[in-house]
Amino acid sequence: MASYFLACNWPDNQQNMENMVTAFDPEAVLCADGEADYRIMLNLSSDERGILCRGELKGLAEAEIAFRDAEITDPRYSPEHFQQRCKEVVRRGVLTLLKQCRDMELPWGILTGVRPTKIFHYLRDLGFSPLEIRERLETVYLLAPEKAALLTEVGERQRPWLAGAEEKLCIYIGIPFCPTKCQYCSFASYPLASHGHLLDGFLSALIYELEVIGEALRKVKKPVVALYIGGGTPTVLNHEQLRRLMQEIHHHLPVAGLQEFTVEAGRPDTLDREKLALLKEYGVTRISVNPQTTNPRTLKLIGRQHTLADLDRAVQFVREVQIPCLNMDMIVGLPGETEEDWENTLERLLAAEAENITIHTLAPKRAAVWDYSQIKQEIKTDQIARSLKRIHTRLRSKGYYPYYLYRQRRIVAGEENTGYTANGWEGIYNILMMEERATIIGLGGGAVSKWLNPVTFELSRTPNPKCPATYQQRIKEIVGEKVNKLFGSLIDNPGRIR
């Protein structure tokens, strides 16, 4: 592991520099000046011709840069965009120095955040055309040509869904329980074997939250366009629990005008025909059945207990009960897997004729069971980019196109996660949530409410506790804060948990 010392004369850029370094070197260690293997120092200045960046890298390798960035001189930018452009110039300076001392490319250039499509919509809102944006993504933001093309296509396809989205609401309900914890998972997910005794208390707290927030939403009178139940694995609930949850949702939440109702059923072994028929009865229009891989050895390795027969049965049941949209996920980069494994998994998803197919790249998280240092030798990093290109081509040949994407910290090979759809089956919640252009009301364990300022598009967040026990204990405090966020303190005594 290499250590780095970072310094910049422009204020508020330390974290910005760190993000660029860790995107380039995921195992980088940040340290004091005298202890570092590499010292990166940048100096910015500006005049009417743009922003001048001078920099040097010293230590185990040495490099120098000097360039003038004239992008901010385009009249479509205003003075309020100057600081944003300075941060982008800082990242460009860091990346340019690092590339001089190590032969390595970052396919996403200086875009280090989770939501690279935001830069597309930022520029599109300023009046740049898709072609102009694509050119800038390559020359100003240093994206590889294929990533610039992907980002431009996804962004432009999303534009119709974002029109007026700031006046709409989405609801997310988190069920933080799973049959087992997958080795790679960092989400709010508690195995039933160790935490199942908390399930009934959690559901009572969730129903209380549905009741109070539902009453507030009816007074706010903003349209709820998408409802998403995730986790965890919501279908880990038994039939009685699932029916109770669906009844309470329909009783308390304003769901009559929903355009989309999604339920995550990531584990095929949690599904049967009766559960799926129940979901269909209560208006579910989209369901996710996510094998992640169809290699039996890998399924055991990652901690899953389902078989390929379970997967085939689940898909059959979804079709029999006629839930309109089936989403299926796979992960490229799981330890020990090769291009052949990934192609086999993709062909299985194509054979199911899923309306949505989401291609994830493995992102080893610190909160996951797996320690990246222990598994990195088994990850075929050199094969991932090549395989993703082939997967993209194959999906195209079958009539799918990309409609949303995001990235994660420590994502393998610097790649991305991309959602593909058959024509007309775009996931509304995925688009609005990822682009952060609508308020998301988060209910349940680990859910995060995101409150959008419809004028500035700035967000504030209200997180729910991930732990089911903590969620239950703090439910009144949580609900009160959300009600105040929605329209002020109109409910003095929202009641008690039944």
Side-chain angles (χ1 to χ4, degrees):
M1 292 187 292
S3 57
Y4 297 80
F5 170 78
L6 310 172
C8 179
N9 73 314
W10 211 259
D12 301 323
N13 267 290
Q14 185 67 25
Q15 187 64 54
N16 192 33
M17 294 180 75
E18 291 179 8
N19 290 344
M20 192 71 256
V21 168
T22 53
F24 190 87
D25 181 359
E27 297 185 87
V29 175
L30 288 307
C31 66
D33 189 356
E35 304 168 359
D37 298 321
Y38 300 99
R39 300 167 64 240
I40 298 176
M41 291 154 286
L42 295 180
N43 186 287
L44 268 63
S45 59
S46 67
D47 56 29
E48 69 280 358
R49 295 176 296 165
I51 303 168
L52 178 63
C53 177
R54 299 182 184 276
E56 61 179 11
L57 183 151
K58 293 185 176 181
L60 299 181
E62 297 196 358
E64 292 185 356
I65 56 167
F67 64 86
R68 185 179 299 278
D69 183 273
E71 175 67 12
I72 195 64
T73 64
D74 188 293
R76 285 169 287 194
Y77 295 105
S78 65
E80 67 186 25
H81 301 118
F82 177 74
Q83 290 299 334
Q84 169 68 20
R85 187 62 203 147
C86 285
K87 291 182 178 181
E88 293 164 353
V89 169
V90 166
R91 292 202 301 272
R92 180 178 173 184
V94 171
L95 180 57
T96 305
L97 284 168
L98 289 170
K99 286 169 66 175
Q100 287 187 26
C101 70
R102 289 176 60 180
D103 183 20
M104 177 178 167
E105 294 293 329
L106 286 186
W108 285 94
I110 67 169
L111 298 185
T112 60
V114 170
R115 297 170 169 82
T117 36
K118 279 198 166 187
I119 199 65
F120 176 89
H121 297 300
Y122 165 73
L123 294 171
R124 200 76 171 89
D125 290 345
L126 290 176
F128 292 91
S129 71
L131 180 59
E132 288 177 309
I133 295 172
R134 180 171 172 176
E135 291 171 347
R136 278 168 168 76
L137 290 173
E138 292 186 38
T139 59
V140 177
Y141 295 90
L142 307 184
L143 271 66
E146 65 271 16
K147 301 304 183 189
L150 174 64
L151 183 55
T152 302
E153 178 182 6
V154 169
E156 193 62 13
R157 287 191 182 279
Q158 291 177 340
R159 294 298 283 181
W161 297 101
L162 301 184
E166 64 275 7
E167 296 301 324
K168 300 173 183 176
L169 298 175
C170 297
I171 297 175
Y172 175 86
I173 299 175
I175 309 294
F177 296 91
C178 268
T180 59
K181 180 87 169 181
C182 292
Q183 301 291 87
Y184 57 78
C185 180
S186 61
F187 293 106
S189 175
Y190 296 87
L192 281 185
S194 57
H195 290 74
H197 63 285
L198 299 174
L199 188 50
D200 286 340
F202 166 82
L203 286 174
S204 292
L206 174 58
I207 290 167
Y208 170 82
E209 191 173 22
L210 289 170
E211 179 181 352
V212 179
I213 297 300
E215 182 179 348
L217 287 173
R218 283 192 293 274
K219 295 177 180 178
V220 170
K221 295 182 180 178
K222 278 194 173 186
V224 178
V225 295
L227 172 60
Y228 193 108
I229 305 181
T233 305
T235 48
V236 79
L237 300 179
N238 63 36
H239 297 84
E240 180 183 346
Q241 292 165 335
L242 191 59
R243 180 172 292 278
R244 180 187 177 201
L245 175 61
M246 290 294 151
Q247 288 173 339
E248 297 288 350
I249 287 172
H250 275 261
H251 182 64
H252 295 298
L253 297 183
V255 297
L258 283 180
Q259 297 178 38
E260 178 184 86
F261 187 172
T262 298
V263 173
E264 286 275 0
R267 303 293 190 92
D269 49 330
T270 65
L271 289 174
D272 57 32
R273 198 181 189 286
E274 185 181 352
K275 277 188 185 179
L276 287 164
L278 187 157
L279 295 176
K280 169 70 174 177
E281 175 188 347
Y282 282 94
V284 171
T285 61
R286 182 175 181 271
I287 192 156
S288 290
V289 180
N290 305 328
Q292 312 302 5
T293 177
T294 55
N295 183 323
R297 184 190 68 82
T298 309
L299 287 172
K300 289 184 178 181
L301 178 68
I302 64 180
R304 289 187 165 225
Q305 299 172 341
H306 68 79
T307 66
L308 298 187
D310 292 328
L311 175 63
D312 291 341
R313 276 193 298 272
V315 171
Q316 177 187 343
F317 292 149
V318 170
R319 297 310 186 193
E320 286 179 358
V321 305
Q322 299 181 2
I323 292 176
C325 183
L326 170 63
N327 174 77
M328 302 183 80
D329 288 5
M330 63 174 284
I331 298 175
V332 174
L334 289 169
E337 292 207 328
T338 64
E339 292 174 84
E340 182 180 2
D341 291 308
W342 304 326
E343 289 172 11
N344 288 342
T345 297
L346 177 64
E347 291 306 314
R348 195 94 176 208
L349 306 193
L350 288 171
E353 298 182 335
E355 284 74 21
N356 295 166
I357 295 178
T358 308
I359 309 299
H360 294 273
T361 307
L362 181 67
K365 297 292 190 66
R366 291 187 174 90
V369 176
W370 268 339
D371 185 317
Y372 178 60
S373 64
Q374 295 175 347
I375 63 170
K376 64 180 180 179
Q377 299 304 324
E378 300 178 53
I379 299 173
K380 306 295 190 296
T381 305
D382 58 328
Q383 298 180 17
I384 289 173
R386 184 168 62 236
S387 189
L388 287 173
K389 289 179 182 178
R390 284 209 293 268
I391 288 171
H392 180 79
T393 300
R394 179 68 174 137
L395 286 165
R396 290 280 197 183
S397 74
K398 299 294 286 186
Y400 293 84
Y401 54 82
Y403 77 97
Y404 89 109
L405 65 85
Y406 65 103
R407 305 184 67 233
Q408 293 174 279
R409 294 195 184 280
R410 307 184 84 194
I411 199 164
V412 175
E415 294 291 342
E416 71 284 332
N417 304 321
T418 307
Y420 291 84
T421 183
N423 190 36
W425 290 104
E426 291 91 344
I428 299 170
Y429 175 84
N430 286 336
I431 293 173
L432 297 183
M433 179 272 298
M434 198 53 63
E435 301 316 315
E436 297 184 326
R437 291 291 186 103
T439 289
I440 310 290
I441 308 296
L443 313 176
V448 179
S449 295
K450 297 182 179 181
W451 312 95
L452 180 75
N453 182 316
V455 177
T456 65
F457 289 144
E458 293 178 343
L459 286 171
S460 59
R461 291 171 168 81
T462 307
N464 280 6
K466 294 181 180 181
C467 172
T470 307
Y471 169 76
Q472 183 182 0
Q473 292 163 3
R474 293 185 51 210
I475 189 62
K476 289 191 177 182
E477 169 195 345
I478 292 165
V479 167
E481 184 176 353
K482 287 181 189 172
V483 168
N484 288 337
K485 283 279 189 179
L486 275 167
F487 54 76
S489 184
L490 297 183
I491 302 175
D492 295 324
N493 182 17
R496 58 186 179 83
I497 299 178
R498 293 196 297 271

